[in-house]
């Protein structure tokens, strides 16, 4: 029992350091006025090639080649054209495409209105504190990072259970106390869940 508890504790300590430090910074950044970091932003309008990209996916591929970035996991959204009221007049708004690419250190957002000869691109670059907070939140990360963070959560659960069992030393009174506490906690969580 003690060996798995120790090894899982070592793994949890490594990830816990990252998540704990960034969590504290995020919790206290407003109250303590902690300068958390900066995002350097750039905005450009890129002229489109002829022929123009036929659809949002083709636009994402072209942007990736032009700006030398990986757009393989870009989030693409297409808004249909609609009629809007502008200064009391009905105006037909053309369809638009939005393309977003995010990673912990970089962010790119492109917007294109069908018929334009250019695409508007906003790019942000994070410094180290912002990048660490993005890692904490999982911003721009894939399934692998989510699963890695889940190992920390799972490790904390195992540490709690094995630590409790180590504390009880498997003696009757302590086991009964732990059982009563866990049962009460489970009931409280169950009642709170039903109240939602």
């Amino acid at each position: 029992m003690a060996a798995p508890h120790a090894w899982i504790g070592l793994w949890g300590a490594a990830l816990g350091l990252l998540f704990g430090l960034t969590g504290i910074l995020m919790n206290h950044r407003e109250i303590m006025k902690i300068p958390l970091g900066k995002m350097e932003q750039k905005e450009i309008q890129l002229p489109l090639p002829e022929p123009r990209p036929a659809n949002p996916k083709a636009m994402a591929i072209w942007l990736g080649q032009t700006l030398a970035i990986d757009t393989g996991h870009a989030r693409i959204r297409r808004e249909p054209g609609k009629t809007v009221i502008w200064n009391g007049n009905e105006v037909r708004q053309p369809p638009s495409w939005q393309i977003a690419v995010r990673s912990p250190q970089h962010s790119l957002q492109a917007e294109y209105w069908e018929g334009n000869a250019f695409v508007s691109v906003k790019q942000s670059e994070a410094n180290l504190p912002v990048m660490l907070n993005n890692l904490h939140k999982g911003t721009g990360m894939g399934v692998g990072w989510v699963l890695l963070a889940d190992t920390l959560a799972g490790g904390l659960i195992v540490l709690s259970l094995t630590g409790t069992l180590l504390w009880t030393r498997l003696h009757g009174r302590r086991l009964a106390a732990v059982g009563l506490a866990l049962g009460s906690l489970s009931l409280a969580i169950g009642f709170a869940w039903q109240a939602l």
Side-chain angles (χ1 to χ4, degrees), residues 58-72:
M59 176 76 75
I61 292 168
W62 175 78
L63 281 170
Q65 293 168 348
T66 304
L67 300 174
I69 58 170
D70 180 17
T71 57

Side-chain angles (χ1 to χ4, degrees), residues 1-2 4-6 8 155 157-168:
M1 179 79 63
H5 182 86
I8 292 172
I157 292 169
V158 170
L159 283 175
S160 298
L161 295 174
T162 57
T164 302
L165 288 175
L166 287 170
W167 175 79
T168 66

Side-chain angles (χ1 to χ4, degrees), residues 135-190:
L135 284 171
H136 181 100
K137 297 183 288 185
T139 301
M141 301 302 290
V143 174
W145 180 257
V146 172
L147 293 175
L148 182 69
D150 285 347
T151 65
L152 174 62
L156 289 174
I157 292 169
V158 170
L159 283 175
S160 298
L161 295 174
T162 57
T164 302
L165 288 175
L166 287 170
W167 175 79
T168 66
R169 296 184 189 151
L170 300 178
H171 290 296
R173 287 185 181 166
R174 287 185 174 189
L175 279 173
V178 167
L180 184 61
L182 287 176
S184 300
L185 181 64
S186 299
L187 281 173
I189 290 171

